[in-house]
Amino acid sequence: MTDLDLDQYRRRLEEERARLTHTAAFLERENPGSLEDELGEIAAGTDNHLGDLATATYDRELDEGLEEGVQQAVVDIDAALQKIEEGSYGTCEVCGEPIGAERLSAIPWARLCIDDQRRRDG
Ligand SMILES: [Zn+2]
């Protein structure tokens, strides 16, 4: 293990997790219904246009993408917190090398070293 300040990373991870959880709750409040409900409301309106339908679909896709991103980030943060407990925090999941303090400062929930992340991203 390295000389990483684990308490500092743990704090940052917990703060970020709280923020994301808040965002997820907000998104759920914003979009309690299904897309069918939204389209139904528009179709039931008197001044419905195709443009409104397209906008509703587009907004929905954006929100779902955002929700997925938030959920994935919480998963990554939980994994990072777990690794702090296990003493394996800061180690690349692929090659086992240290991820590096600089990268962890930017992305405390990083699971891969920069080389493996680039390989995975293609
Ligand atoms: Zn690696």
Side-chain angles (χ1 to χ4, degrees):
M1 200 50 211
T2 61
D3 57 354
L4 294 171
D5 183 351
L6 289 180
D7 282 341
Q8 184 200 322
Y9 287 112
R10 187 191 280 116
R11 269 199 307 278
R12 281 193 57 192
L13 286 163
E14 283 169 350
E15 278 170 20
E16 186 67 15
R17 195 185 191 290
R19 199 177 67 79
L20 286 167
T21 307
H22 185 80
T23 302
F26 173 77
L27 285 172
E28 265 183 44
R29 269 205 311 277
E30 286 283 285
N31 299 289
S34 66
L35 178 60
E36 280 72 22
D37 291 341
E38 265 179 64
L39 294 181
E41 284 169 26
I42 290 166
T46 50
D47 59 343
N48 60 315
H49 301 288
L50 270 179
D52 293 335
L53 274 172
T55 304
T57 309
Y58 182 67
D59 284 351
R60 189 76 206 167
E61 281 170 6
L62 263 187
D63 285 338
E64 281 180 356
L66 194 55
E67 267 184 79
E68 263 172 41
V70 167
Q71 280 158 10
Q72 182 57 50
V74 170
V75 167
D76 286 344
I77 287 170
D78 281 346
L81 287 167
Q82 176 76 23
K83 284 191 222 171
I84 288 178
E85 296 305 319
E86 292 170 352
S88 60
Y89 179 72
T91 310
C92 173
E93 289 182 3
V94 173
C95 66
E97 294 293 316
I99 290 172
E102 198 176 319
R103 178 162 161 73
L104 288 173
S105 293
I107 313 169
W109 53 90
R111 305 170 83 137
L112 304 176
C113 69
I114 190 70
D115 290 339
D116 283 310
Q117 186 66 57
R118 283 194 182 126
R119 269 193 282 275
R120 178 163 295 188
D121 292 344

